[in-house]
Amino acid sequence: MPVPVMANTNPLHTISNMFDSRAQFPDWERRVVDHFTKELAMPDASSTIPSLNLVQNHSIMDGQLVRFRCMVQDMFDPEFYLAQYQVRNTKDGSMRTLCGRYRDVVSCGPGEELVTDGAECETRDRLALYCVSPPGEAGWVVDHFRRLGGVEAGPSGTRTNNLKRALEGEAGEMEVESEASADPALGGSEISKKQKSEVSGSCPPGQLQGGQQPSLNLPLPSSHGRASIVKLYDVKDGDIKLNDLIEVVGIVSLDPTMAAPEGDDEMGNSPSLPPPSLVPRLHVLSFSHLAHNNPLLPAAAPFP
């Protein structure tokens, strides 16, 4: 189903316009944050922004505004990126400067090539976090947020399809165990133990056996758990810590070119990250700390 084109589906266009006016407004980065902070403070603004906790990844569009209620599970090393870069027209040699902030990939039009050593190219770093849905979150909490956001749940709640897959997988494992135990000549429990150890020990964390889709690496199994690689700009040390519960609003990045082939390692010292179709990248425009994830309690803690 196509996503309607609304103001919050193309925030990068607004950012590009502010970047182009940097000669007149050198503090254009602050103006971007102030603009979206003002927009998000408007009544019912959050209700128009889809939540990664509630919608499927295929229902959102690359480059649109989304929000995510999550816990910081891991912190990566600072990520270097092209804050601004230049592209050259291969026909007439003219050059133009583009903004790389809030993006994962550079943008080159037809007949253009990237210039990495141009006079106006600038490299910066940003903070990258691996964030997951609040661990152990009950199904009624997700259903409550669904009702608040106008998102309909399945006929059996939020666990319908995913739980069914999990049960089918468990049933398959039970069949293997029963077949092995039915034949005494096969060693019964020894074979089943060996099969279990092979399945659990042959795959690295976050990746399934046989080239299957990698998992979300959630701290607690959850049928409605989500994950995202959250990227923040100009954050001071200590503003966000490990295991913090936060809610972020930002620009989602789903570019398929970021899906590294299996076994490919860009830096040579860490496993490749899951593709953005499974774990979206989120460039944060605004974030806030959450005291808890109970929708029936006040947002702020009543006691100091």
Side-chain angles (χ1 to χ4, degrees):
M1 180 179 179
V3 179
V5 177
M6 298 181 295
N8 60 4
T9 60
N10 195 14
L12 291 174
H13 179 70
T14 302
I15 295 173
S16 296
N17 290 338
M18 292 186 178
F19 174 77
D20 292 339
S21 65
R22 65 190 182 281
Q24 183 179 0
F25 301 99
D27 60 339
W28 69 272
E29 296 168 347
R30 172 52 55 185
R31 294 180 66 237
V32 168
V33 175
D34 292 342
H35 170 78
F36 284 101
T37 300
K38 182 180 178 180
E39 292 291 326
L40 295 173
M42 297 179 62
D44 301 328
S46 61
S47 62
T48 63
I49 302 175
S51 172
L52 293 181
N53 302 90
L54 307 179
V55 300
Q56 299 295 328
N57 294 343
H58 60 76
S59 65
I60 57 179
M61 185 173 60
D62 180 58
Q64 77 171 95
L65 281 182
V66 297
R67 49 196 175 91
F68 187 36
R69 182 171 39 82
C70 57
M71 184 198 76
V72 180
Q73 177 171 304
D74 198 2
M75 291 183 165
F76 300 119
D77 292 333
E79 180 180 87
F80 292 94
Y81 72 101
L82 286 174
Q84 61 185 48
Y85 58 96
Q86 294 180 287
V87 293
R88 179 189 295 113
N89 190 303
T90 56
K91 293 183 179 179
D92 56 16
S94 61
M95 299 179 64
R96 61 192 182 105
T97 305
L98 301 177
C99 176
R101 194 176 176 96
Y102 305 111
R103 296 176 181 270
D104 282 301
V105 295
V106 297
S107 176
C108 291
E112 292 182 331
E113 62 180 3
L114 176 65
V115 179
T116 57
D117 56 352
E120 297 188 21
C121 293
E122 182 180 354
T123 302
R124 296 187 184 179
D125 65 274
R126 54 194 174 195
L127 179 63
L129 311 173
Y130 191 86
C131 297
V132 298
S133 302
E137 191 169 65
W140 71 265
V141 175
V142 180
D143 289 338
H144 186 87
F145 280 114
R146 284 181 181 275
R147 289 192 296 270
L148 292 178
V151 180
E152 296 183 358
S156 300
T158 60
R159 299 172 179 261
T160 304
N161 293 332
N162 289 335
L163 184 56
K164 182 178 179 182
R165 296 191 192 101
L167 290 176
E168 289 175 353
E170 293 173 2
E173 183 179 349
M174 291 173 62
E175 291 177 0
V176 173
E177 293 182 6
S178 61
E179 290 176 0
S181 59
D183 191 349
L186 295 178
S189 59
E190 294 182 0
I191 291 183
S192 63
K193 291 180 181 178
K194 182 178 180 182
Q195 291 171 339
K196 288 183 179 180
S197 63
E198 289 178 351
V199 171
S200 61
S202 58
C203 301
Q207 185 174 354
L208 300 180
Q209 192 177 22
Q212 300 179 14
Q213 191 181 48
S215 70
L216 300 180
N217 196 25
L218 301 175
L220 293 176
S222 174
S223 60
H224 51 260
R226 303 294 172 83
S228 174
I229 296 177
V230 175
K231 303 183 180 184
L232 299 103
Y233 300 80
D234 304 328
V235 178
K236 298 179 182 178
D237 292 340
D239 283 355
I240 296 182
K241 301 181 293 295
L242 202 63
N243 298 330
D244 275 358
L245 195 64
I246 59 176
E247 183 170 25
V248 298
V249 179
I251 303 172
V252 68
S253 179
L254 301 171
D255 196 300
T257 59
M258 293 185 295
E262 183 180 357
D264 187 18
D265 183 3
E266 296 180 358
M267 302 301 295
N269 53 9
S270 62
S272 59
L273 297 173
S277 58
L278 179 66
V279 179
R281 279 55 167 170
L282 185 56
H283 297 264
V284 177
L285 292 167
S286 174
F287 75 91
S288 59
H289 286 84
L290 301 177
H292 55 76
N293 65 325
N294 191 330
L296 303 182
L297 295 178
F303 301 105

